[in-house]
Amino acid sequence: MEQAGSLSARGSTGSAAPDIRTASVRVPAQARAADVERERGVASDESRSAAGARGEHTHSEPPIPHPRVESARPVEAARPVEAARPVVQRASVRGQILDALRTALVAGELAPGQVYSAPVLGERFGVSATPVREAMQQLALEGAVEVVPNRGFRVVRRGTRELAELAEIRALLEVPVVLRLARTVPAARWAELRPLAEAAARAASAGCRATYAECDRAFHHAMLALAGNDQLVQIADDLHRRAQWPLVGGPVPRGRADLMADAAEHLALLDALTAQDLPAVQSLVREHFADH
């Protein structure tokens, strides 16, 4: 969040910079007039090009002013390398807000059916409304919220039937893949996944649903990635994330005991995969998805 503040501070400094077209230019005595005019023309073109590149901004955020350019320097040195930095930092802020909103969804801090405005959430996170609005629009594409014109975004109400449908689809995708991998992946590769399973177990023991949700997705992501099918991993990850959103009128959110039981299934599945115990793998993986 401090990055957004640093951008604002740097923008106010840049706006006070003198216009490079009125700055004096020290011309060597031996230079000809035509050369000077040509050099000034190149510098002017460079400044207009930089202005076009830096003038792009979205929504209500002010454009980033020109960086100060010393007129006595060669034209090549007047090309600021950091011209693209605001875009990178802006995307980073939006990504951080998106992660925070996803965590709030899983933790139940954003209640189903409630409408939240971007300015109010922006005050909560200490940022402007723009990155919050962009993050909420991404959540709308994922189906977590819906747009309410002139008000904000409403958290979608979900029931147990939708959760059961998601679990069925996940099982149809993941179970056959895991069974195939059980026959082909060596034990050493499965051992590489144990730190992820152990991290999930620690999060479950702490009773933190949001942290466990991230560890759970990381474990399944790494397991499916062994198949080498990026599209499968992406689709399965999206379904998994949607399955973790809160329900309305459903069972009480999973507590510490439920999370620990789920994490224990990860470790037991890894043991069976390492031993290439195919009957145990089939039983464990089907039971794991039945619990979801």
Side-chain angles (χ1 to χ4, degrees), residues 97 107 157 194 264:
I97 297 301
R157 295 177 178 270
R194 186 163 295 275

Side-chain angles (χ1 to χ4, degrees), residues 1-2 4-5 93 97 119-129 131-132:
M1 306 311 168
E2 296 177 357
V93 171
I97 297 301
V120 171
L121 290 174
E123 292 181 1
R124 169 181 174 178
F125 294 118
V127 298
S128 69
V132 176

Side-chain angles (χ1 to χ4, degrees), residues 176-201:
V177 175
V178 174
L179 293 177
R180 176 166 56 86
L181 293 174
R183 299 180 177 89
T184 58
V185 175
R189 296 297 302 277
W190 293 119
E192 296 174 0
L193 273 61
R194 186 163 295 275
L196 296 175
E198 292 174 346

Side-chain angles (χ1 to χ4, degrees), residues 13 29 59 81 152 199-200 237:
T13 303
H59 303 291
V81 178
D237 189 64

